[in-house]
Amino acid sequence: MWVSHVVNQYNIVLMLQILCILPESMIHVRAEYICEVGRESEGNILRWFLLNSDPCRCTKVRLGGSNAYTPKRMFDPVYVKYPLIGDDVEKIREHYALDCIAPEIASCPGDQDMVTDPGRATAMVVYQTPNATDNFGDVSVLCYPESGSYFPIGNTTVDCVAKDKSENSARCNFEVNNKDKESPEFDFCPSNSVERDTDLGQPTAMIEWLKPMARDNSGDVPAITCTYPSGSDFAIGETTVECLAVDSSGNEKDCQFDINVLDNESPEFDFCPNSTVRNTDSEQPTAMIEWLNPIARDNSGEVPTITCNYASGTDFAIGETTVECVAVDNSGNEKDCQFDINVLDNESPEFDFCPSNPKVQNTDLGQPTAMVEWLNPMARDNSGEVPTSTCNYPSGSDFAIGETTVDCLAVDSSGNEKECQFDIHVLDNESPKFIFCPSNTTLRSTDPGQNTSMIEWLNPMARDNSGEVPTSTCNYPSGSDFVIGETTVDCLAVDSSGNEMECQFNITILVG
């Protein structure tokens, strides 16, 4: 049972050495192995002997029992004249004359650089187990990890231990550097691309996305960083987000997706001119109108471009004109503002020609009127259009005797008026006409007892071109007494214009 305990303890130490659990400084410390020194009889001679098939293993010697005879053994014990008890290994080997030479390793593999197998966190490494020689026969060489093992990423020391039967050992080691040169792989990367409108009133859009996910052949979760974190504000336009997955060996893999921020928000006007009402410039068909330029702002923060269909300082025609100004941002979004320019024509036309005043004309022969013609009045207007001219009497009208005012009115398209007046003065210079004048009368005798004779006649009758009855007067009225001899009766017809006509007849009185 004692021997079994010692063997088990040795095996534990050996196993720890092979598994590289014990530090290098302890690899040459042998496990405690207790051997017994005893006595036995060989014939009539008592001898001391160290009983062990491999006495080089002994680290401690203690007294054992005695045998009355020499038993048969598979090996020969070490015989000495007297025993040595203790745990000084060097003295034990010297006293018992033990030849304990450690094995020699002929060659040891050099350090090896490997790359992980595709998709794995390990690499299978095959190497040549080193050879060893020993003065005590065959030597077993054990290496750990053994050839054909899968080595993890990083440096792994392969320990090779050669042990002879006496547990003398030699050791060599080499490094297997297993490098991970395989990039991570993304299991998820946000869709490409993400389109979003700007946030209301902002030049940016806050964009969120699910974080990318990656895996690595090492089994470790790669560290992922992105040029922009989820929830960042992105400017108008296209921005590439690049996410980089880095494994513990520094291998990288990137995934990219685009953030396309659209500006579909129209500009806003901070100022738009008011509608304007203005009269035409003097003697012009237009009015020059100036205004302050409109002002607009945009969510992008840039100043929109503003264009108007009419520029400030333009000459505007009579009437209402709509000025439309359009603000356009860099994304082509538009907003318009409108105001009206109302140009009023309150300027009256001007006559370039108006007939002479007055226009004097005699009545037409035998007529109470005169047909009067004139050149039509001519007018011009600041509008450039020819005003409509109308007169209360057209040229060629018949005008009555006397003075008549002709009133001509020029009206432009805006209803502005201007008048010109001239007088038609129709003169009646035509004398009345007698339609009856008494005949000459001869009376032979005076009235009885008188030296005169009373004569009567029908009053003369006259007419006038005016249509009025002229006033007729005679120097002797009918029924006057006429003296002996010849007397001329002179009758005068006078019209309302003072034109005269006379008729005469003679009264002759004879002595009876």
Side-chain angles (χ1 to χ4, degrees):
M1 184 172 179
W2 174 82
V3 174
S4 174
H5 171 74
V6 172
V7 171
N8 286 340
Q9 189 176 24
Y10 170 78
N11 288 339
I12 290 172
V13 173
L14 178 62
M15 181 177 67
L16 291 175
Q17 290 176 345
I18 294 175
L19 290 175
C20 305
I21 293 175
L22 294 177
E24 184 176 358
S25 60
M26 296 177 62
I27 196 70
H28 298 293
V29 177
R30 299 172 61 86
E32 185 181 54
Y33 193 88
I34 300 175
C35 299
E36 291 185 345
V37 61
R39 289 189 304 175
E40 65 182 11
S41 173
E42 185 179 9
N44 295 322
I45 302 172
L46 287 176
R47 295 182 300 179
W48 291 95
F49 64 92
L50 183 64
L51 183 63
N52 199 285
S53 62
D54 186 5
C56 286
R57 296 174 61 186
C58 299
T59 62
K60 185 176 182 179
V61 177
R62 67 183 180 183
L63 287 175
S66 297
N67 293 323
Y69 59 91
T70 301
K72 292 183 179 180
R73 301 184 177 93
M74 299 282 296
F75 58 92
D76 294 328
V78 178
Y79 294 99
V80 290
K81 292 180 180 180
Y82 56 87
L84 175 67
I85 306 299
D87 58 4
D88 187 333
V89 175
E90 297 300 326
K91 287 183 179 181
I92 291 173
R93 291 184 176 181
E94 181 181 357
H95 179 78
Y96 292 101
L98 302 178
D99 183 14
C100 299
I101 299 175
E104 289 186 3
I105 297 177
S107 62
C108 191
D111 293 344
Q112 299 187 35
D113 289 329
M114 304 297 293
V115 177
T116 54
D117 297 334
R120 299 178 66 92
T122 58
M124 188 184 74
V125 180
V126 177
Y127 54 84
Q128 182 68 42
T129 302
N131 296 320
T133 58
D134 186 69
N135 66 324
F136 200 64
D138 294 335
V139 179
S140 65
V141 179
L142 297 177
C143 295
Y144 188 83
E146 63 186 19
S147 177
S149 298
Y150 287 96
F151 283 71
I153 296 168
N155 286 330
T156 301
T157 299
V158 178
D159 281 315
C160 295
V161 179
K163 289 184 180 292
D164 60 16
K165 293 181 179 180
S166 299
E167 289 299 312
N168 297 302
S169 65
R171 173 182 179 176
C172 81
N173 57 55
F174 60 93
E175 300 289 332
V176 173
N177 185 12
N178 187 18
K179 296 181 179 180
D180 176 15
K181 294 187 176 181
E182 189 171 339
S183 296
E185 291 295 331
F186 278 93
D187 289 323
F188 168 73
C189 189
S191 299
N192 189 16
S193 68
V194 177
E195 279 194 354
R196 191 77 54 81
D197 287 342
T198 53
D199 297 334
L200 187 63
Q202 299 298 319
T204 57
M206 193 274 282
I207 310 293
E208 294 180 308
W209 58 83
L210 293 176
K211 188 175 182 180
M213 292 185 290
R215 55 182 167 78
D216 189 59
N217 63 310
S218 67
D220 296 334
V221 178
I224 299 176
T225 57
C226 298
T227 49
Y228 299 90
S230 174
S232 295
D233 289 323
F234 286 83
I236 295 167
E238 190 170 84
T239 302
T240 297
V241 178
E242 183 172 357
C243 295
L244 195 66
V246 183
D247 63 16
S248 54
S249 298
N251 299 304
E252 299 178 353
K253 183 75 176 229
D254 71 341
C255 90
Q256 294 180 342
F257 56 97
D258 294 328
I259 302 294
N260 192 11
V261 176
L262 305 177
D263 178 13
N264 288 317
E265 189 171 339
S266 297
E268 292 294 331
F269 277 94
D270 290 324
F271 167 73
C272 189
N274 294 323
S275 294
T276 301
V277 179
R278 189 78 55 80
N279 288 330
T280 53
D281 297 334
S282 181
E283 297 183 2
Q284 299 296 321
T286 58
M288 193 272 281
I289 309 293
E290 293 180 309
W291 58 82
L292 292 176
N293 288 327
I295 303 172
R297 57 182 166 78
D298 189 58
N299 64 308
S300 67
E302 298 173 352
V303 179
T305 301
I306 301 176
T307 56
C308 301
N309 55 347
Y310 295 94
S312 175
T314 299
D315 289 325
F316 284 83
I318 296 166
E320 189 171 86
T321 303
T322 297
V323 178
E324 183 171 2
C325 297
V326 180
V328 183
D329 64 17
N330 288 344
S331 298
N333 301 303
E334 299 181 356
K335 183 79 172 204
D336 70 340
C337 90
Q338 294 179 343
F339 56 97
D340 294 327
I341 303 295
N342 192 6
V343 176
L344 304 178
D345 179 14
N346 288 318
E347 189 171 339
S348 297
E350 292 294 331
F351 278 96
D352 289 324
F353 167 74
C354 192
S356 300
N357 183 31
K359 190 171 183 61
V360 180
Q361 192 163 323
N362 290 328
T363 54
D364 297 334
L365 187 61
Q367 299 298 320
T369 59
M371 192 271 283
V372 182
E373 294 179 310
W374 58 83
L375 292 176
N376 285 326
M378 290 185 292
R380 57 182 168 78
D381 189 58
N382 65 308
S383 68
E385 299 175 354
V386 178
T388 302
S389 297
T390 56
C391 299
N392 55 347
Y393 296 95
S395 175
S397 296
D398 290 324
F399 287 83
I401 297 164
E403 189 173 87
T404 303
T405 298
V406 178
D407 194 352
C408 294
L409 194 65
V411 183
D412 65 16
S413 56
S414 298
N416 300 303
E417 299 178 352
K418 184 81 172 198
E419 68 176 3
C420 90
Q421 292 179 339
F422 58 95
D423 293 330
I424 302 296
H425 197 179
V426 176
L427 303 178
D428 180 11
N429 289 318
E430 188 175 341
S431 297
K433 300 292 182 184
F434 278 97
I435 58 175
F436 167 73
C437 190
S439 302
N440 291 331
T441 301
T442 301
L443 294 177
R444 293 186 178 273
S445 60
T446 59
D447 293 335
Q450 300 292 324
N451 62 353
T452 61
S453 177
M454 191 274 289
I455 305 298
E456 291 180 320
W457 59 82
L458 291 176
N459 285 327
M461 290 183 295
R463 59 178 172 79
D464 190 58
N465 64 309
S466 67
E468 298 175 355
V469 178
T471 301
S472 297
T473 58
C474 298
N475 56 351
Y476 296 97
S478 175
S480 294
D481 289 328
F482 286 85
V483 298
I484 297 170
E486 186 177 81
T487 301
T488 299
V489 178
D490 195 351
C491 293
L492 190 66
V494 182
D495 63 18
S496 56
S497 298
N499 299 303
E500 299 177 350
M501 183 62 102
E502 70 177 1
C503 85
Q504 294 177 340
F505 59 93
N506 295 320
I507 302 295
T508 302
I509 303 297
L510 300 176
V511 177

